[in-house]
Amino acid sequence: MPNAQIHTIETSEQLDALLKQYAAVLLLFGAPSCGVCQALKPQIADLLARDFPKMVLAYIDCEAQGEIAASYHVFSLPVVETVFYGKSFGRFSKVFSLGELKRAITRPYGLIDENQP
């Protein structure tokens, strides 16, 4: 099974547009120098493709996009934030498992309108 597409965010306008376009977005805040972040990225993409195909994965490189990271109060890595219908629903930082992430996504994901992209 292919992984979910990873949208690399380069501007706050690009992120805002993505959050408005999709009902479910997972934000992954990371950096090229963060080994854990780079290891998590394909694992999260695989999880979304397998279990949450309507959820979009957005990657924010905090070294390149410091203003976006600061606006989301991201000061340590990795940080994952789930957003449903434009509202932050769950946030995980530093130490968390994919199982915890999956459990946190399951309930709100089940409430997504079938006609939403």
Side-chain angles (χ1 to χ4, degrees), residues 27-103:
L27 305 176
L28 171 58
F29 293 90
S33 61
C34 173
V36 174
C37 304
Q38 298 309 311
L40 272 176
K41 196 184 327 180
Q43 292 178 36
I44 291 173
D46 181 55
L47 172 70
L48 297 185
R50 186 181 61 244
D51 297 325
F52 308 105
K54 292 187 126 206
M55 187 167 228
V56 173
L57 175 55
Y59 175 73
I60 298 96
D61 175 350
C62 295
E63 290 176 1
Q65 308 305 327
E67 286 185 27
I68 296 173
S71 72
Y72 276 81
H73 306 286
V74 173
F75 302 108
S76 63
L77 297 176
V79 171
V80 170
E81 188 163 332
T82 57
V83 180
F84 290 90
Y85 295 104
K87 303 288 184 197
S88 177
F89 197 86
R91 186 175 177 122
F92 300 85
S93 60
K94 291 187 181 181
V95 180
F96 58 92
S97 72
L98 289 177
E100 290 174 293
L101 183 58
K102 181 178 179 178
R103 284 189 296 278

Side-chain angles (χ1 to χ4, degrees), residues 4 7 12 16-17 23 26 31 35 48 60 68 70 81 84 90 109 113 116:
H7 298 266
S12 57
D16 291 342
L26 186 141
L48 297 185
I60 298 96
I68 296 173
E81 188 163 332
F84 290 90
Y109 184 86
D113 180 352
Q116 285 286 121

